[in-house]
Amino acid sequence: MLVMVLAATLAGVAWWGARSPQPAPVPVIDLSGVEPARAGRVRSLLEAVRARPEAGEDWGRLGMALRALGYRSEAGQALVEAQRLDPGNARWPYFRALLLEMDDPEAAVLALREAIQRCGNDPPTPRLRLARWLVEQGRTAAARAELTELLEAHPDHPSALILLAQVAMNEGRVDEAERLAGRCETDPRTARRAAVLRAQIHQRAGRAAQAREMAYRARSLPNDAEPPDPWEAEAALALDDPRPLSDQVQRLLAAQRLEAAAPLIGRLVKEHPTFAESWLLLGRFELLSRDATAAEKSVRRHLELEPQSVQGWFQLGMALLAQERFEEALAAFRRASELKPDHGPAHFNQGLALLRLGRPAEAVTPLRDAIRCNPEHAETYFLLADLHLRLGDREAARRCLRAIEALKPGDPRLVDLRSRLTNSG
């Protein structure tokens, strides 16, 4: 009987061994071309995998880091092992999909669907990315289904709305496209794409003047901010790299989402105090929070770390302008435009500071420089037209009027400007 039990036990061990594969070998990585701090971080991740080869999370962190450094094959092997050991974690098929995107798009879609099966719409990034890939492949019906499901969970997600608007446009549903684009035109994350789409809609409908006005508007807007990808931010943290976290904060600040940005800025300042961008972002956050004194202090700390920072000097000027320290603000804006002569906002704010200092004649040149850099900004023409009228130069004011009429023919302020031009004669 004992022999039979022992035999059964041994058979069970043999069966388990056959059905339970051995952990994958730890990859050997040549880190000779990697900067020392990052190489040290990868070595730590490799040691963690050697110490706990059965830990899927450790394999996953290694895979994320290797992908970020361009070790595609080794990253793929590590992520496959992570998914085998930690099958419920959506991150591992998600990052596998990103690796497969260029080489095998269909396999990438399948991996992305695996990730979505595990995470659903939280975070929304995997489903949004899948919908975008499907649109690029011309599979609009499948993309619409994914976006509809995403919007059921996140009804006001701007990137999903604008992508659905594009799908509607591609399918010939022009009214639906216009309605969806209208919901996106005031959000900094989608305003430019919404304006481009509405220009196309006006053009298709034969509304040439509206199409031109919307096209001008699109050109005057900054590029839309990409939706934040929390898992990409985690991948950056695996390398102790603050830049993706910084990019995420910039997107949040551009969208005026101060509450969401605050804890991330706190992490940047605490964990990366020598990273100059940490202090610039803190200064921008404080300026948006209407604490110009604190913003000045933070931006000056940024400039200590990066004295040639164009954005640093510009944000310092904004902080000083908010404190009505116009002479100092003027100097900061001038420094920004010296470092980057085509920085239109720096020229514009020089003109504004000079006007606040009661020096209108001097304000003409920087405002003209602002137009040279950004000829699509109607606001500068309005300010310069007003200034020319105050200085008695009706012909220069009339030239500004003609430029505004081309840029924004429906702007209601044109009525007042035309009246003032007529009365000034």
Side-chain angles (χ1 to χ4, degrees):
M1 176 65 77
L2 180 60
V3 172
M4 290 177 64
V5 171
L6 180 60
T9 302
L10 290 172
V13 170
W15 177 87
W16 176 255
R19 298 292 289 265
S20 179
Q22 294 296 313
V26 179
V28 177
I29 310 293
D30 179 9
L31 297 167
S32 57
V34 179
E35 64 178 271
R38 289 183 159 199
R41 181 61 179 154
V42 171
R43 290 190 186 97
S44 298
L45 292 169
L46 287 166
E47 284 303 317
V49 167
R50 290 190 187 96
R52 294 196 312 160
E54 75 289 351
E57 191 171 344
D58 289 344
W59 280 100
R61 278 196 290 264
L62 176 63
M64 290 191 297
L66 292 175
R67 171 183 166 268
L69 290 174
Y71 293 90
R72 293 172 55 80
S73 175
E74 296 86 347
Q77 294 166 20
L79 289 167
V80 166
E81 185 67 1
Q83 188 171 344
R84 183 181 74 81
L85 295 167
D86 185 16
N89 195 322
R91 290 165 178 78
W92 317 140
Y94 177 71
F95 281 109
R96 282 183 51 240
L98 300 188
L99 281 170
L100 291 164
E101 178 184 3
M102 299 302 296
D103 301 328
D104 192 343
E106 195 55 44
V109 167
L110 291 174
L112 206 46
R113 289 194 185 280
E114 288 184 59
I116 293 166
Q117 285 174 2
R118 291 159 175 76
C119 72
N121 295 305
D122 188 20
T125 319
R127 196 180 294 276
L128 181 64
R129 191 180 289 273
L130 174 59
R132 190 177 297 156
W133 287 358
L134 292 170
V135 169
E136 291 169 359
Q137 294 171 16
R139 297 157 66 179
T140 55
R144 175 182 283 276
E146 297 296 339
L147 290 167
T148 300
E149 190 157 343
L150 176 56
L151 286 165
E152 285 179 3
H154 303 278
D156 298 315
H157 195 291
S159 298
L161 287 169
I162 196 64
L163 189 55
L164 187 58
Q166 186 63 60
V167 168
M169 186 72 170
N170 293 349
E171 294 176 339
R173 303 169 186 264
V174 179
D175 291 342
E176 180 187 353
E178 187 163 21
R179 176 178 59 79
L180 290 166
R183 292 176 62 183
C184 302
E185 63 183 350
T186 59
D187 193 304
R189 294 165 289 183
T190 52
R192 187 183 180 105
R193 279 175 290 173
V196 169
L197 192 57
R198 295 195 71 192
Q200 294 170 353
I201 292 167
H202 287 310
Q203 190 68 39
R204 181 177 291 189
R207 301 188 290 263
Q210 293 96 320
R212 282 196 304 273
E213 183 176 352
M214 198 55 67
Y216 279 125
R217 172 175 167 76
R219 286 195 291 273
S220 72
L221 292 168
N223 290 331
D224 292 332
E226 282 296 311
D229 186 334
W231 290 346
E232 284 282 28
E234 285 181 17
L237 292 175
L239 281 172
D240 200 30
D241 183 353
R243 285 170 292 189
L245 188 60
S246 166
D247 292 343
Q248 186 177 351
V249 170
Q250 289 186 44
R251 289 190 291 266
L252 291 170
L253 292 180
Q256 302 280 314
R257 296 175 60 193
L258 303 188
E259 188 174 337
L264 301 182
I265 293 172
R267 279 181 58 188
L268 278 170
V269 170
K270 181 180 178 181
E271 298 172 15
H272 304 281
T274 60
F275 179 55
E277 195 79 11
S278 300
W279 298 100
L280 180 61
L281 292 171
L282 177 59
R284 284 181 57 196
F285 172 82
E286 290 163 339
L287 198 54
L288 290 169
S289 302
R290 302 184 185 280
D291 190 347
T293 304
E296 178 192 353
K297 182 178 178 182
S298 298
V299 174
R300 288 192 186 280
R301 178 73 182 274
H302 165 77
L303 286 167
E304 288 173 5
L305 295 166
E306 196 174 322
Q308 304 302 308
S309 167
V310 175
Q311 276 302 310
W313 285 105
F314 179 76
Q315 293 297 330
L316 178 61
M318 295 298 289
L320 294 167
L321 198 62
Q323 297 176 69
E324 300 188 355
R325 291 158 60 186
F326 302 124
E327 197 71 58
E328 295 171 81
L330 176 62
F333 290 131
R334 280 178 172 161
R335 182 61 181 142
S337 59
E338 287 169 4
L339 291 166
K340 192 175 189 299
D342 63 347
H343 195 297
H347 292 295
F348 178 87
N349 282 289
Q350 284 179 55
L352 201 58
L354 286 163
L355 287 172
R356 297 291 181 84
L357 287 166
R359 294 150 60 181
E362 295 178 54
V364 171
T365 298
L367 289 175
R368 283 177 174 166
D369 287 336
I371 288 173
R372 173 179 53 79
C373 299
N374 297 110
E376 72 282 1
H377 283 177
E379 297 304 317
T380 313
Y381 291 101
F382 272 115
L383 185 59
L384 189 56
D386 177 75
L387 180 55
H388 284 313
L389 283 172
R390 287 166 57 189
L391 295 172
D393 192 342
R394 295 178 66 251
E395 185 52 40
R398 188 171 285 107
R399 288 196 296 271
C400 290
L401 171 66
R402 288 196 290 268
I404 299 166
E405 287 173 333
L407 285 170
K408 298 187 73 175
D411 196 303
R413 292 173 292 177
L414 282 169
V415 176
D416 178 64
L417 182 54
R418 291 189 190 104
S419 174
R420 291 175 61 200
L421 263 168
T422 301
N423 295 333
S424 66

